[in-house]
Amino acid sequence: MRASSKKLIIVLICLACLILTGCAGKEYRATVFAMDTVMQITVYAKDDSSLALCRAKINDVEKMLSTTYEDSITSRLNRGETVTAQEEFIDLLSDCRKYSGLTGGAFDITSYPVVRLWGFTTGEHRVPDQQEIDEAVGRIGMDNIAENVSGEVSLMNGAEIDFGAVTKGYLGDRIRDILTEQGVSSALIDLGGNITVIGKNRGKDWVIGIEIPSRDESGLAGTVAVSDTSVVTSGSYRRYFEEGGRVYGHIMDPKTGYPAENGLISVTIVSPDTEMADALSTGLYVAGLEEAVSIWKETPGFEAVFITDDGTVYVTEGLASCFTINKDYSQKLVIIEK
Ligand code: AMP
Ligand code: MG
């Protein structure tokens, strides 16, 4: 046999091995109730050993960040303690400063006093009076978080924080990293609608649905076909309350202290960086369509689908070829160009 034929055979065998190891994995799934939501991690792998590591990570992150754990760093800071925080926490804090800057303050983890005031932490919802709102807004601002080089963090001026707008994104990236390190090359990480995908779905793009942003209608407004990325949606059609014939959603405008209301009813961000997608879906929802589009034009690393209250679906150009609208939901599709 000639040397070149031998080489070709070896290459073919290697390719066959790659295809077999890449596709032959069995499906394993972990379902976890955490962070007030159902999380599902589906992997295609030789065994389910990676899933135990994911469960442990979910637990660790919840214990570090959640306001419902008394001993979390967040709760300790909110009680006025000075906390020496681990590197992961400091890094997340610094990312949150970046997202706050990117969105002109629309994303702000110090919005917690107003989130609490409107009863979104306890479920005892109410419309506060203006004086209470002014008092709570006066305690908002990323400058009220102090940290030093030794990792000591504290809050000033009565500030309180909550990572609710970014925790699932942060966790999605950590789980993706764990699975990738474990050699998993195909997975769907669904953290209560915050989706991160690894690789492809048995050779094809993952098709991820974007919900109809409605309080009483279910189904999909559209889908995106993607691989190796994340798809994260924010909206106020699931977590809200009604009083005096008005609807109040759970995403707050830190500048006014009122639920954000500016014509946007759903913001989906598609980005390989799940944490960024989570932060920006919340932040751009608050910012409103016009501001959101100009932030998209200036910021590399993400694409978006915006839905406004008249049912128009705006899709940034990077998603034009992978987004499919559900025509029963809307016929109004606008592609936004840079
Ligand atoms: P998400 O579902 O990711 O859009 O996050 C919404 C959650 O983030 C709310 O339930 C609050 O806990 C918190 N939150 C509300 N408004 C803001 C805001 N403007 N910036 C950051 N976090 C917020
Ligand atoms: Mg978010």
Side-chain angles (χ1 to χ4, degrees):
M1 197 183 283
R2 287 205 346 242
S4 61
S5 311
K6 263 191 193 161
K7 255 191 207 157
L8 181 68
I9 289 170
I10 291 168
V11 168
L12 286 176
I13 291 171
C14 289
L15 265 178
C17 288
L18 263 179
I19 290 166
L20 281 174
T21 48
C23 306
K26 259 176 73 183
E27 181 179 298
Y28 297 95
R29 179 170 299 150
T31 304
V32 181
F33 185 80
M35 302 177 189
D36 214 17
T37 193
V38 178
M39 304 184 166
Q40 264 198 341
I41 303 166
T42 308
V43 298
Y44 295 89
K46 59 182 188 324
D47 60 40
D48 66 352
S49 57
S50 58
L51 293 177
L53 299 172
C54 297
R55 285 177 191 275
K57 194 69 192 177
I58 293 171
N59 203 19
D60 286 352
V61 169
E62 191 168 28
K63 284 197 165 141
M64 174 171 76
L65 298 179
S66 172
T67 50
T68 55
Y69 272 94
E70 264 188 37
D71 290 335
S72 69
I73 298 181
T74 311
S75 298
R76 291 175 58 199
L77 289 170
N78 287 347
R79 282 199 298 272
E81 288 180 36
T82 297
V83 179
T84 306
Q86 64 252 52
E87 205 179 326
E88 294 100 302
F89 188 90
I90 303 287
D91 289 348
L92 178 61
L93 207 52
S94 120
D95 288 350
C96 288
R97 279 193 201 285
K98 184 179 77 187
Y99 305 133
S100 171
L102 271 179
T103 59
F107 171 89
D108 191 325
I109 56 167
T110 68
S111 302
Y112 196 51
V114 288
V115 174
R116 226 149 50 77
L117 192 57
W118 288 79
F120 284 106
T121 50
T122 56
E124 286 163 29
H125 303 119
R126 70 186 182 95
V127 179
D129 63 42
Q130 191 58 45
Q131 208 182 338
E132 292 174 289
I133 292 174
D134 291 343
E135 189 278 331
V137 170
R139 295 192 275 138
I140 295 179
M142 293 299 289
D143 290 346
N144 290 334
I145 308 174
E147 73 238 55
N148 64 24
V149 280
S150 334
E152 282 180 349
V153 187
S154 61
L155 303 178
M156 302 176 295
N157 302 323
E160 290 172 281
I161 55 170
D162 126 62
F163 291 93
V166 76
T167 304
K168 287 188 226 145
Y170 170 76
L171 181 58
D173 284 339
R174 300 294 78 75
I175 290 180
R176 181 207 50 220
D177 294 348
I178 289 172
L179 292 177
T180 309
E181 270 163 31
Q182 294 295 309
V184 174
S185 56
S186 174
L188 177 74
I189 303 159
D190 176 356
L191 307 182
N194 270 244
I195 309 283
T196 310
V197 296
I198 300 178
K200 294 203 174 237
N201 179 12
R202 284 157 287 190
K204 294 197 178 121
D205 282 336
W206 298 92
V207 179
I208 309 297
I210 297 171
E211 282 186 321
I212 292 176
S214 162
R215 289 184 290 278
D216 28 51
E217 215 182 321
S218 58
L220 298 181
T223 57
V224 280
V226 291
S227 60
D228 280 317
T229 196
S230 71
V231 182
V232 180
T233 300
S234 279
S236 282
Y237 49 95
R238 290 271 175 270
R239 294 184 59 202
Y240 65 91
F241 71 96
E242 290 181 65
E243 197 177 299
R246 288 204 53 183
V247 176
Y248 300 96
H250 71 125
I251 301 175
M252 296 290 153
D253 184 336
K255 295 198 175 77
T256 63
Y258 281 78
E261 211 178 314
N262 49 37
L264 273 178
I265 53 173
S266 165
V267 174
T268 299
I269 305 292
V270 178
S271 167
D273 183 338
T274 320
E275 181 193 289
M276 182 191 198
D278 196 0
L280 289 186
S281 66
T282 311
L284 299 194
Y285 181 89
V286 176
L289 182 65
E290 204 178 314
E291 183 61 21
V293 169
S294 69
I295 293 169
W296 169 72
K297 287 187 177 174
E298 287 159 16
T299 316
F302 76 96
E303 299 294 333
V305 178
F306 304 107
I307 307 180
T308 49
D309 52 10
D310 66 351
T312 308
V313 180
Y314 296 84
V315 176
T316 58
E317 61 185 5
L319 294 178
S321 61
C322 66
F323 177 80
T324 307
I325 197 165
N326 170 6
K327 292 211 171 86
D328 291 337
Y329 169 67
S330 174
Q331 310 269 345
K332 293 177 274 186
L333 175 65
V334 178
I335 305 293
I336 309 171
E337 290 169 1
K338 274 237 157 116

